[in-house]
Amino acid sequence: MIFSTIKLRWKILLVLIVISVILLFHSRYTGISPVHRITGRKLMNNDPCSSLEEQIDYYQRLLKSNEEKHKAGVERMRLHNGETRRQLEVQRQLVNDLERRNRQLIEKLAHLEAGGPIRKDEEPRLAAKISPDIVRTLNIRQESEFSVIPFISFTRDKLYQLEPGMTKRPEEPPVGDKHTEHQQVVDLAVKLLNEHNEGEPVTSMKLVEGYSRTDKTVGSQYDLYFETETKNIFKHVQLFRPFAPIQTVQTETYDKRNEWINLIVPLAGRVEKFKVFMDYFAEICIRRDKRVYLTIVYFGDEGKQEIKDCLEKVAAENHYTQYKFIERTDSFSRGMGLLAGAEAWENGNVLMFFCDVDIYFDLGYLDRCRLNTAPGKKVYYPIVFSLYNPDVVYHNLPEIPHWRDLMVLKKDSGFWRDFGFGMTCMYRSDFIFMKGFDTSIQGWGGEDVKLYRKMVQSNLEVIRAPDRGIFHLWHEKFCDPHLSTEQYNMCLGSKALSEASHSQLGMLAFKDLKEENDRLNAQKSKDTLI
């Protein structure tokens, strides 16, 4: 018995000696004494009452914590080094191209000085090939949201851009150099798809969606999506113009036939708006797309039963079961509502669409939501077209048109809401990895901007482009005077921009002058008749 006790003490002593040696080497490696890292109350005070088991447990936890910190640091360095290598590869390719072109110019000059005839370039293409990973670096790890390069979205005959130039039109046909560029890009994409195509030839009529953007230090990128003979299967062509003839980056096939979207709507009250929302949701999502799951997160009790009745009625009429109604008793918070909707999903990863009850979208938008997202690669932040106050826009008509007839892209009907980041499509895994919304923000706005900033500073590619199929319906906006100064100013700015166009607001401001002019002209007409 005595021998066993002595043997056990020697084992414990041996364990302590090994741990002490490890900590000694660790302190020499990090330059920090392990004593300074101690946070336990008993060990900080050199409490003699701390047991041997407690000390061993503490040192084990300390070693595990340090190991996790080292792993996290190595991972950050690995990501940073990978990004640096990609940027260096872009610059290397540009330098190689310049060197090659310089050699060609020297050869041409020598040829001409020797009296040779003028000859055309035999190889106008660049020698280096642009890889998809290099193109992705144009919109990842940006310093802030102001550094993101927005896309121009386009179809076969229309452009949708944030900088419309002198026309000030949110939608316009390509003209001038834009028309030439647009034609070259579409023609080359069609040619590439038909080179090894054994089925029905692809034409420009099959173009579903196109995107382009230009980095002034690198070149222009183009992404084009074409329909195929099979519904919900698309061909993707990516092109790149490094301020030289266009190059092919890659062609892909996207199969979106089984791609479901979890549409999450946080809500409190607003029963009439919800009825309108469910009206077009049933038409677009239930009867036509048939691949949308609806999650309603409702705050409070006021209007809750009416909302539930409306939801259940639409579901029963359309034999729709793919929905969930989540009840919350706390005060309304959009960030908390979207977070609750994301966490409630229990079937693995899913594409999520964060939406509001006053947002209208069409069938094409759902396709773009799917095409512009990929788990671990890219997220979609559409620029919504925000409609003005119909009472102002259509004040000269006998009655205001039906709300479905208000969805038009004109400079006097609305504007591209380029300061809004609330409507977005992203995968649940990416949302969780970025730690979602900052739920500490109270009141109007802010949480969506913070999430967007985290996205543009990450390795995810942010697809930011005007979307012709999603509209923000006008509604009266109330700005709580108890908000912080920054939030209150944001709210007032949004309220002012959403009311009417510059010219329409001007006519309202100078209404008295306009009436005086009308009175004088009426008097002149009367005097002329006399």
Side-chain angles (χ1 to χ4, degrees), residues 227-258:
E227 291 178 337
T228 64
E229 301 173 21
T230 306
K231 186 179 180 181
N232 293 320
I233 292 184
F234 303 88
K235 289 287 187 180
H236 172 220
V237 179
Q238 191 172 67
L239 307 171
F240 190 74
R241 187 198 298 269
F243 299 123
I246 305 173
Q247 294 185 57
T248 303
V249 176
Q250 65 180 348
T251 59
E252 297 176 288
T253 298
Y254 284 0
D255 187 348
K256 299 293 183 178
R257 288 174 292 184
N258 298 317

Side-chain angles (χ1 to χ4, degrees), residues 395-410:
H395 72 278
N396 57 341
L397 297 181
E399 62 180 12
I400 297 174
H402 188 271
W403 66 268
R404 288 181 178 274
D405 298 325
L406 302 179
M407 313 301 165
V408 290
L409 295 168
K410 294 182 179 179

Side-chain angles (χ1 to χ4, degrees), residues 2 22 63 78 87 107 130 142 156 200 238 254 273 310 331 364 412 439 454 477 498 512 519 525:
I2 297 174
I22 293 173
L63 287 172
R78 186 186 66 80
Q87 293 177 357
E107 292 174 0
I130 305 296
Q142 300 298 319
R156 188 173 58 87
E200 180 182 348
Q238 191 172 67
Y254 284 0
K273 285 285 186 182
C310 176
S331 300
D412 287 331
T439 55
K454 289 194 289 185
K477 187 180 293 294
S498 303
D512 294 342
R519 187 188 65 79
S525 299

Side-chain angles (χ1 to χ4, degrees), residues 115-235:
I118 299 176
R119 59 191 182 190
K120 295 182 179 179
D121 292 337
E122 297 178 355
E123 186 188 7
R125 301 188 309 273
L126 293 177
K129 179 168 177 59
I130 305 296
S131 71
D133 285 340
I134 291 175
V135 174
R136 281 189 64 241
T137 62
L138 295 181
N139 245 18
I140 65 173
R141 288 194 175 277
Q142 300 298 319
E143 295 179 358
S144 70
E145 66 269 30
F146 303 106
S147 305
V148 175
I149 305 170
F151 283 84
I152 293 174
S153 58
F154 61 87
T155 61
R156 188 173 58 87
D157 54 0
K158 290 288 173 54
L159 297 179
Y160 306 88
Q161 51 194 353
L162 282 177
E163 300 178 1
M166 293 181 65
T167 64
K168 301 298 181 185
R169 295 173 184 167
E171 173 191 74
E172 66 175 1
V175 295
D177 62 331
K178 293 180 181 178
H179 173 75
T180 303
E181 176 192 36
H182 182 270
Q183 195 66 46
Q184 288 179 352
V185 170
V186 174
D187 288 348
L188 179 57
V190 169
K191 179 182 177 182
L192 289 168
L193 292 177
N194 285 322
E195 280 183 352
H196 304 291
N197 182 23
E198 298 179 356
E200 180 182 348
V202 178
T203 67
S204 60
M205 299 295 292
K206 296 290 186 180
L207 178 64
V208 176
E209 195 70 27
Y211 297 93
S212 68
R213 63 179 173 183
T214 299
D215 184 323
K216 295 180 180 179
T217 64
V218 182
S220 299
Q221 173 193 348
Y222 308 91
D223 287 271
L224 298 92
Y225 298 90
F226 291 83
E227 291 178 337
T228 64
E229 301 173 21
T230 306
K231 186 179 180 181
N232 293 320
I233 292 184
F234 303 88
K235 289 287 187 180

